Amino acid sequence: MGVTTLISLNELNKIFPEYGFVKLIPTSSGIIDTTYKAYTKDKGYILKKYEREIPARIERDIELLDELYSTGLNVPICLEQNGEWYLYKKLQGTHPSNVKSYHIQALARFLAKLHKQASKKSCDSNERVENEVTEALDYTKGNYFSYYKKFEFLKHFTHKNDALIHGDIFKDNTIFDGKKIGVIDFIDSACGTFAYDVGVALVGFDVRERHQYFINLFLKTYNQHAPKKLNKKTVLKKMKIAASFYALKRVYKYKNTFRARELLR
């Protein structure tokens, strides 16, 4: 999230006149797509403008969110569109800071239900993600060679496609209202394995701080509800790949080696 395209409260009310917005707050994290928090007197919304030419992915994202919402998953459905602006339901709660056991259990239940729903449909390929890895490695090799040596093994990055996965469940893509979890930002979801999706989420929730306990707790909860069980050895392998993948992404997209080091520790 973040803001690239500026919009005023007056302009917003002209775009969506039936709502009567009284407050508009720009978000501060993220640099790809423009995201605001918009409020009426009694409700909150998310206002979004995609700063990329991805109309097919936006349409698929809206359909996916509707489908997941209908199964009881707490995700932000799209309420309206006008031109380049999209208005989403705002989930109640806050991003988790200090991760507790109940966060891990809620995360595991959410992913298990998501994967169970996703497994009902086929998924074509993850070629887009693999191409992103190739481009990022080429850039890093020419500009951050010492980091490239850490990421070089990712040139073989590929995996069997279980189904469509979120692939980016870090803490700032989750909202907790008490012990209830909501997950946002499905726009870059792609085909992949459930084990990789789990690996990303565990890295994103800093489980390495309490490594064995959180992983064991996650797997115990996840395997009770998931379409297929995962073992710790597989998850640990995927966590290493996920950490390196997102460290590479931070070096390539954001030129941020400090945040890359956070993931490589």
Side-chain angles (χ1 to χ4, degrees), residues 25-76:
I25 303 174
T27 61
S28 58
S29 61
I31 61 173
I32 299 177
D33 298 316
T34 290
T35 306
Y36 285 86
K37 296 176 184 178
Y39 296 90
T40 62
K41 289 182 179 179
D42 56 358
K43 288 185 179 180
Y45 301 84
I46 296 296
L47 177 69
K48 207 166 186 72
K49 178 180 181 293
Y50 296 96
E51 305 291 350
R52 300 168 280 173
E53 291 296 324
I54 50 172
R57 279 163 59 189
I58 296 171
E59 182 178 350
R60 185 208 63 180
D61 180 60
I62 292 172
E63 292 175 356
L64 175 64
L65 291 173
D66 282 341
E67 177 186 324
L68 296 178
Y69 184 79
S70 71
T71 69
L73 287 171
N74 190 24
V75 296

Side-chain angles (χ1 to χ4, degrees), residues 228-242:
K228 65 180 187 180
K229 296 183 185 299
L230 297 176
N231 62 63
K232 184 187 279 190
K233 182 178 179 181
T234 299
V235 168
L236 288 172
K237 181 179 178 181
K238 295 300 184 181
M239 285 177 65
K240 179 183 177 183
I241 293 172

Side-chain angles (χ1 to χ4, degrees), residues 126 129-130 156-162 165 190-193 196-197 238 241:
N126 58 3
V129 178
E130 292 169 8
H156 303 298
F157 180 85
T158 184
H159 43 224
K160 173 187 172 185
N161 297 325
D162 287 332
I165 63 173
C191 297
T193 64
Y196 178 74
D197 211 15
K238 295 300 184 181
I241 293 172

